[in-house]
Amino acid sequence: MPNQEIEDIPVYLFVGFLEGGKTKFIQETLEDKRFNNGEKTLLLLCEEGEEEYDASRFPNAGTIFQHVIEEKEDFNEENLKKILAETGATRVVLEYNGMWTINDLFENLPMEWAVYQAMCFVDSGTFLNYNANMRSLVVDKINVSELVVFNRFDKATMNQLDFHKIVRGISRRTQIAYETTDGEVAYDDIQDPLPFDIHADEIVINDEDYALFYRDIMEEPEKYNGKKVTFRAAVVRDKKFPKNVFAGGRHVMTCCVEDIQYCWLVCEWEKAQMFDTRQWVRLTADISVQRHKLYQGKGPVLKIQNIILTNAPEQEVATFY
């Protein structure tokens, strides 16, 4: 018999920290007949806050199966499959523990479980403190989310820009909403232009803007195709590279020392072997988005037009903030 394709189990993922408003939003979602239309749903809770679910308010309440996983070791593929099979559910609403990483989530989800939507809920009153003391967990949650909602936002004492900068330092694609203390919801409309002119004849990247440039060109390479760019970079050579290729980039820190990594672009130059690894250069190149084996697909290839040796920048590790 031919193999039958296994249908995806949609997962609606809600992340954030305790008392951030996840439970309230999920409660309202499951009260909505447009979402809760009778399809069997596993409501999987990986933490329990002060607010509890009121199943009596759910339409089609008999089709909602609530299950709690309190211990991290119980969040594993075998157990998740078992729970789903016992309920007969065809989709999952997952309230994830804020202290567990997203990497742990994806490593343990069954292969057929597919995250269809991810949203992050945060208590505005504690967010800045979380960001200052547990930034890696903040980055972890926002980076995967399509929308972050700041609950209990006090317009009189809080500044949207403080929250906006933190989110934009992590992700340019995540939408931002503020639910104020008087119950209103407002979406972030702060203009967030890139700190360099992408329409200039030559795009000049200042040292402090490299992280933003790198993320933007890797997320939307086509808008840089055919452009000319100038920036300072650390060279890396490797025996596996073609003779006319070197890597040009910077070490970038997203949130903490542990996540620093070398973020580089493929550079093509006929004299590439002149440089040694860790030498700093200022390069000017034409950008061509094309297939390259070092990308294992398409990516921005820099055709070097001019290059000179230079000193390291004052801050060698680039950041987003």
Side-chain angles (χ1 to χ4, degrees):
M1 291 180 63
N3 291 331
Q4 292 185 337
E5 285 193 19
I6 300 175
E7 292 188 8
D8 284 345
I9 300 296
V11 178
Y12 299 90
L13 176 62
F14 299 87
V15 300
F17 304 102
L18 277 173
E19 311 310 320
K22 298 191 297 293
T23 301
K24 178 176 179 289
F25 186 87
I26 294 172
Q27 173 77 38
E28 292 172 352
T29 299
L30 292 176
E31 289 178 18
D32 189 337
K33 292 181 180 179
R34 292 170 297 180
F35 182 84
N36 187 2
N37 56 9
E39 184 175 353
K40 288 185 176 181
T41 303
L42 170 60
L43 175 56
L44 189 59
L45 313 178
C46 297
E47 63 182 2
E48 291 187 284
E50 292 183 6
E51 192 167 352
E52 296 183 354
Y53 290 96
D54 184 356
S56 68
R57 293 164 55 187
F58 298 158
N60 305 302
T63 63
I64 306 296
F65 304 92
Q66 185 172 320
H67 191 96
V68 178
I69 295 181
E70 293 184 336
E71 302 300 327
K72 189 175 178 181
E73 56 265 30
D74 293 332
F75 191 90
N76 60 69
E77 182 175 358
E78 181 181 358
N79 194 33
L80 294 175
K81 284 184 174 181
K82 178 175 176 289
I83 295 167
L84 189 73
E86 289 173 350
T87 62
T90 56
R91 63 179 178 177
V92 179
V93 173
L94 174 55
E95 183 176 347
Y96 195 59
N97 191 308
M99 296 295 112
W100 301 353
T101 69
I102 296 300
N103 186 58
D104 289 333
L105 169 77
F106 286 116
E107 282 188 350
N108 289 286
L109 279 185
M111 184 172 62
E112 62 273 17
W113 289 29
V115 175
Y116 274 32
Q117 188 177 46
M119 300 174 68
C120 180
F121 292 83
V122 182
D123 182 347
S124 300
T126 59
F127 176 71
L128 298 181
N129 187 51
Y130 269 111
N131 185 64
N133 296 289
M134 292 188 290
R135 182 166 170 80
S136 61
L137 286 173
V138 171
V139 171
D140 183 64
K141 303 304 179 293
I142 291 178
N143 205 32
V144 75
S145 300
E146 298 158 41
L147 171 69
V148 57
V149 179
F150 290 107
N151 285 304
R152 308 178 187 96
F153 188 84
D154 188 342
K155 292 183 289 186
T157 62
M158 297 175 180
N159 186 347
Q160 283 190 10
L161 188 59
D162 294 335
F163 296 77
H164 171 94
K165 285 181 176 179
I166 292 170
V167 175
R168 284 293 166 262
I170 299 167
S171 169
R172 292 182 66 85
R173 68 175 181 82
T174 302
Q175 296 184 58
I176 307 169
Y178 305 90
E179 183 169 353
T180 61
T181 50
D182 55 10
E184 295 180 358
V185 176
Y187 284 88
D188 190 301
D189 59 359
I190 296 174
Q191 294 298 309
D192 196 44
L194 292 165
F196 45 85
D197 185 0
I198 195 172
H199 301 295
D201 293 336
E202 179 180 332
I203 305 170
V204 178
I205 308 301
N206 294 326
D207 292 335
E208 62 270 21
D209 298 328
Y210 179 80
L212 286 170
F213 162 69
Y214 179 79
R215 183 175 64 190
D216 199 57
I217 195 172
M218 296 307 288
E219 288 182 352
E220 300 182 77
E222 291 295 342
K223 74 182 185 184
Y224 289 87
N225 193 32
K227 302 282 188 177
K228 179 178 288 188
V229 67
T230 294
F231 62 92
R232 180 162 23 191
V235 169
V236 167
R237 289 277 302 141
D238 191 291
K239 292 179 180 179
K240 297 178 182 178
F241 290 179
K243 290 184 178 180
N244 68 329
V245 168
F246 66 89
R250 299 270 303 275
H251 282 88
V252 174
M253 180 173 69
T254 302
C255 63
C256 55
V257 173
E258 287 76 13
D259 76 0
I260 292 175
Q261 58 182 325
Y262 181 62
C263 297
W264 55 279
L265 301 169
V266 171
C267 299
E268 290 187 347
W269 190 45
E270 60 183 8
K271 300 178 182 179
Q273 296 181 74
M274 289 178 56
F275 293 112
D276 297 322
T277 293
R278 296 189 182 87
Q279 284 188 311
W280 284 91
V281 298
R282 178 169 294 279
L283 61 84
T284 299
D286 292 330
I287 302 170
S288 174
V289 177
Q290 61 186 66
R291 291 193 175 279
H292 198 284
K293 67 178 184 179
L294 294 183
Y295 287 130
Q296 297 182 331
K298 291 182 72 174
V301 176
L302 274 55
K303 313 284 188 176
I304 302 298
Q305 301 301 313
N306 186 49
I307 188 166
I308 58 171
L309 286 171
T310 186
N311 58 316
E314 184 176 342
Q315 182 176 310
E316 291 194 26
V317 176
T319 64
F320 291 97
Y321 53 94

